[in-house]
Structures are given as structure tokens and as C-alpha cells.
Amino acid sequence: MKKLLLLLLSTFPLIALAQSNNQPSTYDIHDLKFTGYLQTQFQHAQSAGISSFSGGDFDENSQDRFMLRRGRLKVDRVDKYSSLVFQLDFTQDGVQLMDAFIQLYQPGSKSLILTAGLFNRPFGHSIAFSSGYRDFPERARVFQTIMPRERDIGVMLAYQPNGKFDFIRAEFGVVNGSGYNSRDYDSRKDVMGNVKFEFDSLANDKLKIGFGGSYYRGSVRNGTESYFTNNGNGFTSNTNASHVGYHARREYHGADLQLEYDNTFGKTIFKVEYVGGKQPGVGSSEDFTGPEASKSFDEQPPTDLYLREFNGYYLWLTQQIAKTKFTAIAAYDVYDPNTKLAESQIGMNNNTTAGDIKFSTLGYGLTFLASDRVKLTLYNEHVFNDDTQLPDYTADLKDNVFTARLQYRW
């Protein structure tokens, strides 16, 4: 599957930037402008207390819940030389800062933009694409794992030439690497680059094609005397006093493709994105249960590092139904935190844990665009995992989720 996806992505000319979070509501000069959206939803889980990437884990005794998934308020200002963006998120959990950045550029030109502050990491397509415009309720599991909450603090330089090469956009960022709500815990910085190509006026403006490639390079500090490396059949412990302060490589490479065709039946959109590389994590425990063990950290990991190689991808298809306000949506995504092991090897007294289990998700549903501002989404997700030798993972978990969401955007 990996080779097939990479071949597919390499044969097509990218990217829809129209709904990027890393920009103000418009670059037209204006004083303070307020935009945003509210997502309120009901969810039913297959069983109570499940670990979920569909809006967060369910409480221990709950399998049904109402929640405010996102309540975004974006404030921006634009003048001749610069722009300023703040975005807050209001939910039942409180108020959180989501974006806060300044952009500088030359008067009359946005070909070169410097962004400084808290912003979406310039990596791939779905990270910076706004959740207010995305057809699917959540981003794929792999991106929620390696880049939770999408943002980080640092600086970014974006270049998009004017004229006949304006279909190219390149971005380069330097960030803390610890995420959107934390200060850097090890003083080292992570770097990333993203190159995008977009063709949005093919076939008499009915066809849009785009693709991109991304790279991320950083590290995770080890705070103990031991770390675990993969030996092909499990993990080997490496112990030495000098391992305190060892920096394990965190490295991702990605590719993405978007196709959009406005046909006689209705608009068809297909998106696919792949990412793979090295992801330092920890072993599953009471504090880091299952999938949490391979997530990126916003603070110093308290236990021994596990050095894993991973990959993941998603395929998203949306089809407008007969030019109506109804759209059918279908998705399939995979996240494998340890590509060196088969699921049958996990739990065989080889230092493996639930943090090494592969998950796949099949989703399908329907959206209804009641107006330019109001959208209803009905979406069902079937989450699959293969059998392992671990006591709690000898069969597929009962962790499917149904979501009914109402969104208002202004």
C-alpha cells in the first residue's frame, strides 16, 4: 500500500490552500474582523469508556454524550505591511488559545510572508486545513497522534512567486517541537518544510488537481538511563547512565494529493495523504494507555523512550448528490505505530505494549448544507485492530463511534 500511494502521489500535478488556518480571514486591508464557527454534537460509542480519536476519550461510565466540539472565535487585522491573527476555542472544557501570530510582508505583495508566533505546522494538507470547512468530523488518527492539536510555536517563512509560477508554494518552519500549549522543555528546535503545487482552473475551470511533499526533523529527549530499540521481534533495552539526555530522532516524510471535479452529477472531491518515519514514544502504562503511548509529547516523557518506525495514511471521498445540498462522504485511514512488528508478535514477552498496535478506521456518512452558514453531519466510524497476545487486546475492541454534528459558521 505504501508503494502504491507514493506512486499515485508522484504521478499527479496539489494543494488547496483556500481554507488554511495560517492566514487572516482576508488579506484585504481592514481593521478588526471577527469570524468563527461553532460545532455542537451528539455521539454514541459502541461501549462505555473507550479511547477515541473522535473528539476525545469517553468517560468511564459513558457511551453517549453531548459536547461542544469546537467553538472558534477568530480575530484578525490587516494593514499594508503586516497582519495579526488571534483565535480562541470555547468548549465545555473552558477557553483555550489556538492561534496567535504576526505576519510581515512587502507592501502590495504576498509572495514572501514571515509568520511568527503560534500557528499550524507547515506539514502536508490536512494539518492547516480549517476544521470549519473539512467535510469529515476529525483529522485522521495518524495526524492526531504525531501532531496533536496541529499547532506549535516558532517562525515560518512562506514563498509563492507571482506570475506564471504562482502555482508553487514553499514553506519552511522552525518550532519548539513541544506543541501548541507548552514551552520548550529541551531547548532544541524542530524544523520542517512543505512544498505545494496547485492547478485550479483545468478543464474549463471544472477540474482542480494538486499535490505536495513534506519533511519534518526534530528530536525527543530521554529523561532516564534506558531506552528501547527494535530488534525485529520486539524491543531491546539499552541501559547506561549516559543515556539521560539522549535525543532520539523524530523524523517524518509525507506526500499528499487532492482532486476536485465539478461534474454533471455534482462536485466530487478525493484526497489522500501518507506520512511515515520515526516516532519516539513510551511503553503503554496506566498513565499512557494504548494509543497514547505513541503520541508526540508536550513535556519531558517521564518513562523510558521506545524508538519506533511508523506509517499512516487516509483516503477521503466526498460526492455531492445530484447537485443538491446533500453530500455523501466516505473515509478510510490507517495508523501503524510500529511497522517492524506483526500484531501477532505484540505481547509475547518481548517488551512490546499496546502502544505498538495498528488501528484502521472506516467511516461513512452524509452532510446537509442548510445554508452557507449551517451544516448538519451524520457520520459513523468503524475502528478495527487485529488480535494480539496482550490480555486486553486479544480481539477487536468495541470502539466504534456515531456522530451527529450541527455547525454554524460566520
Side-chain angles (χ1 to χ4, degrees):
M1 176 60 75
K2 175 180 176 181
K3 292 182 178 179
L4 176 60
L5 287 173
L6 290 177
L7 176 62
L8 179 65
L9 296 176
S10 66
T11 57
F12 282 95
L14 160 213
I15 275 180
L17 276 181
Q19 287 82 35
S20 172
N21 272 327
N22 288 336
Q23 60 189 36
S25 55
T26 173
Y27 277 110
D28 295 335
I29 295 176
H30 62 268
D31 211 336
L32 293 181
K33 184 174 183 178
F34 296 84
T35 56
Y37 58 94
L38 176 64
Q39 296 173 344
T40 181
Q41 65 189 34
F42 170 79
Q43 290 184 304
H44 171 74
Q46 192 176 10
S47 54
I50 64 168
S51 175
S52 176
F53 283 74
S54 298
D57 297 345
F58 283 71
D59 286 346
E60 180 180 1
N61 300 306
S62 174
Q63 67 181 104
D64 297 287
R65 66 187 181 187
F66 288 101
M67 65 183 298
L68 299 177
R69 180 60 184 97
R70 297 176 179 90
R72 300 293 170 82
L73 175 62
K74 186 174 183 177
V75 184
D76 57 65
R77 184 183 187 277
V78 176
D79 59 33
K80 184 185 297 186
Y81 304 95
S82 61
S83 61
L84 174 69
V85 175
F86 278 97
Q87 183 170 207
L88 300 174
D89 189 31
F90 297 82
T91 69
Q92 68 280 331
D93 298 322
V95 181
Q96 293 181 316
L97 178 65
M98 297 303 296
D99 297 295
F101 57 83
I102 299 168
Q103 292 186 325
L104 303 176
Y105 38 78
Q106 292 180 320
S109 174
K110 305 298 185 297
S111 61
L112 187 64
I113 299 178
L114 175 68
T115 302
L118 173 64
F119 50 83
N120 282 253
R121 298 175 179 96
F123 187 96
H125 171 75
S126 67
I127 288 293
F129 193 85
S130 172
S131 298
Y133 290 92
R134 189 179 59 242
D135 290 310
F136 297 87
E138 305 298 338
R139 291 175 176 84
R141 177 185 289 252
V142 61
F143 287 104
Q144 291 191 57
T145 303
I146 65 173
M147 295 183 180
R149 302 307 295 267
E150 301 87 51
R151 292 144 172 96
D152 213 325
I153 303 174
V155 295
M156 174 177 64
L157 191 64
Y159 177 68
Q160 184 170 7
N162 296 316
K164 61 181 180 179
F165 294 108
D166 62 356
F167 59 88
I168 302 174
R169 182 179 176 87
E171 299 169 315
F172 175 77
V174 181
V175 298
N176 284 336
S178 50
Y180 88 109
N181 64 347
S182 300
R183 299 181 182 183
D184 198 350
Y185 62 83
D186 64 359
S187 80
R188 293 201 176 190
K189 301 295 176 281
D190 293 3
V191 298
M192 70 200 76
N194 195 18
V195 179
K196 309 178 180 183
F197 304 84
E198 185 180 31
F199 303 88
D200 59 3
S201 57
L202 303 176
N204 296 320
D205 294 334
K206 292 184 177 182
L207 177 64
K208 298 179 182 180
I209 301 177
F211 72 89
S214 304
Y215 180 75
Y216 186 105
R217 178 68 179 267
S219 64
V220 177
R221 183 182 184 275
N222 189 49
T224 70
E225 295 185 354
S226 300
Y227 63 86
F228 289 83
T229 53
N230 204 309
N231 59 24
N233 296 306
F235 288 97
T236 299
S237 176
N238 303 271
T239 302
N240 193 295
S242 65
H243 292 165
V244 177
Y246 163 73
H247 284 81
R249 181 186 297 184
R250 178 187 178 193
E251 185 176 34
Y252 314 145
H253 49 270
D256 58 87
L257 167 71
Q258 299 83 44
L259 301 173
E260 179 178 319
Y261 182 55
D262 191 2
N263 53 75
T264 55
F265 186 73
K267 185 178 293 185
T268 304
I269 300 175
F270 174 72
K271 297 183 179 183
V272 57
E273 188 164 1
Y274 168 87
V275 62
K278 302 178 185 298
Q279 173 76 343
V282 296
S284 182
S285 63
E286 290 186 3
D287 295 326
F288 297 95
T289 58
E292 297 289 326
S294 63
K295 270 194 171 183
S296 295
F297 302 100
D298 59 6
E299 59 185 14
Q300 171 67 61
T303 57
D304 302 339
L305 291 185
Y306 276 63
L307 310 190
R308 300 184 176 99
E309 294 187 27
F310 79 96
N311 66 29
Y313 61 88
Y314 68 80
L315 300 99
W316 288 349
L317 177 65
T318 67
Q319 176 62 59
Q320 184 185 15
I321 300 175
K323 297 280 187 179
T324 66
K325 295 183 178 182
F326 291 92
T327 299
I329 59 177
Y332 182 71
D333 73 69
V334 172
Y335 172 56
D336 187 352
N338 192 337
T339 58
K340 299 297 184 181
L341 289 177
E343 262 45 43
S344 59
Q345 296 176 282
I346 298 174
M348 297 180 61
N349 196 29
N350 53 5
N351 294 317
T352 53
T353 72
D356 299 296
I357 298 176
K358 175 183 177 181
F359 285 86
S360 305
T361 304
L362 173 65
Y364 52 88
L366 189 71
T367 70
F368 173 64
L369 195 63
S371 70
D372 291 340
R373 300 185 183 277
V374 180
K375 182 171 71 172
L376 173 66
T377 301
L378 303 177
Y379 193 69
N380 202 38
E381 290 178 294
H382 293 269
V383 184
F384 305 95
N385 62 276
D386 290 336
D387 302 351
T388 74
Q389 303 300 313
L390 297 173
D392 295 331
Y393 297 88
T394 56
D396 184 35
L397 300 178
K398 297 184 181 299
D399 52 355
N400 301 338
V401 178
F402 168 78
T403 300
R405 172 181 294 175
L406 186 63
Q407 174 181 287
Y408 185 95
R409 189 178 68 241
W410 69 90

